[in-house]
Amino acid sequence: MLDDVSIPSMNVHSSSYEPFPRMNGTKHVLYHSPDGRVLAASFTESGRHTMTMPFDEVAYVVSGSVSIRVRGGDEHFFGPGDVFFLRKGLTLEFDISDDFKDVAIMIADTPIPRP
């Protein structure tokens, strides 16, 4: 449990990660708010996936790359150092490199299930 003086932190290169099979990867949850509507985590992911965003997400690419195509729209490519924002409700097609790692913050109107 966090108190008013705690600062959650991690190192994306040396922290231990748990399996995250849904996206062929791993995860390290840094913070999940008491009301469940904010989640901060680091993920490794790979492969091709399609999903409709159930929440808003801001992501920072640490390594690897991802190509994201908005259904019915343009394709966008992101690599190390890039930051992107995905809006709730967008249907997206992801093509993620095998060496992809990001740090993401998810924000929702309702509780986000712990990944």
Side-chain angles (χ1 to χ4, degrees):
M1 185 72 174
L2 293 175
D3 55 38
D4 289 339
V5 296
S6 295
I7 298 177
S9 64
M10 66 176 288
N11 183 296
V12 297
H13 302 294
S14 62
S15 292
S16 58
Y17 284 68
E18 303 171 20
F20 185 53
R22 184 173 57 210
M23 297 293 275
N24 299 332
T26 60
K27 64 178 178 175
H28 179 98
V29 174
L30 173 64
Y31 176 75
H32 201 188
S33 66
D35 65 4
R37 299 185 322 169
V38 176
L39 177 75
S42 179
F43 297 91
T44 66
E45 301 166 314
S46 65
R48 292 179 182 224
H49 309 276
T50 300
M51 72 180 290
T52 299
M53 294 300 296
F55 40 70
D56 290 332
E57 179 176 339
V58 177
Y60 171 79
V61 179
V62 175
S63 63
S65 62
V66 59
S67 172
I68 304 173
R69 180 179 299 280
V70 178
R71 180 148 305 152
D74 294 333
E75 183 174 17
H76 305 271
F77 180 84
F78 302 101
D82 289 331
V83 176
F84 54 89
F85 178 79
L86 304 174
R87 286 188 328 270
K88 178 181 176 179
L90 287 178
T91 298
L92 305 169
E93 298 168 356
F94 297 88
D95 189 359
I96 308 169
S97 68
D98 289 341
D99 59 343
F100 181 80
K101 184 180 283 188
D102 73 348
V103 174
I105 299 170
M106 297 140 206
I107 304 161
D109 298 329
T110 58
I112 300 167
R114 191 175 178 98

